[in-house]
C-alpha cells in the first residue's frame, strides 16, 4: 500500500493586505486633492482604500511637493491651485464680464458718428 504524502494543515485565514501607497496612489491622491480643493490623511485613506499610515505618508509628501499647504488644526490641507473654481469665483467673473460689456458698449456709442449722411446711397441701393 503506497503512502500518501502528508497534507499540510490548513493555514489560518489571512486578512487581505491593504494596498501599498505607490506612485499611482500618489497621483490619485494629488488629483483628488486638486479636484476637492483640499486634502486630509483621513480622506485619502477613505477614498483610496489604503491604511491611515500610508495615507499620512502621501499627505506629507504632497505638502513637501507643494501640491497642498500645511494642514490646519482640523488636519485639512488646502490646495493652492484647485481644478474646479468655487462659486464665488464664477460670480465674480460673471460680474466683471458684464461690467466690461457695458463699458465696451459705452465706448462704441461715444465713438459712433452723431449723424449719418442720408444723401449717400446705401450699398444695397446702388
Amino acid at each position: 500500500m503506497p503512502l500518501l504524502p502528508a497534507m499540510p494543515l490548513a493555514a489560518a485565514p489571512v486578512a487581505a493586505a491593504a494596498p501599498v501607497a505607490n506612485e499611482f496612489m500618489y497621483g490619485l491622491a494629488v488629483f483628488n486633492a486638486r479636484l476637492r480643493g483640499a486634502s486630509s490623511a483621513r480622506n485619502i485613506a477613505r477614498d483610496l482604500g489604503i491604511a491611515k499610515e500610508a495615507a499620512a505618508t502621501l499627505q506629507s509628501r504632497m505638502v513637501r511637493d507643494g501640491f497642498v499647504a500645511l494642514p490646519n488644526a482640523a488636519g485639512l490641507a488646502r490646495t493652492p491651485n484647485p481644478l474646479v473654481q468655487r462659486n464665488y469665483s464664477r460670480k465674480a467673473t460673471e460680474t466683471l464680464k458684464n461690467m466690461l460689456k457695458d463699458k465696451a458698449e459705452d465706448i462704441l456709442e461715444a465713438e459712433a458718428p452723431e449723424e449719418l449722411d442720408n444723401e449717400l446711397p446705401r450699398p444695397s441701393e446702388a
Side-chain angles (χ1 to χ4, degrees), residues 32-116:
N32 195 16
R34 291 191 61 204
L35 188 63
R36 289 175 179 250
S39 175
S40 70
R42 191 182 100 225
N43 289 344
I44 293 172
R46 181 193 66 220
D47 294 341
L48 301 182
I50 59 176
K52 288 183 181 179
E53 295 79 21
T57 302
L58 290 177
Q59 178 75 11
S60 64
R61 182 176 168 196
M62 289 190 326
V63 169
R64 186 182 68 231
D65 292 346
F67 287 111
V68 294
L70 289 172
N72 60 17
L76 194 64
R78 302 271 177 210
T79 182
N81 52 354
L83 294 175
V84 178
Q85 298 299 319
R86 300 288 175 214
N87 289 337
Y88 63 84
S89 297
R90 290 184 189 139
K91 185 175 181 180
T93 302
E94 191 66 31
T95 302
L96 288 173
K97 187 168 59 171
N98 290 336
M99 289 172 55
L100 180 61
K101 181 181 174 187
D102 293 341
K103 189 56 84 175
E105 288 173 357
D106 292 344
I107 291 171
L108 290 175
E109 288 175 7
E111 292 178 357
E114 292 295 323
E115 296 179 15
L116 294 176

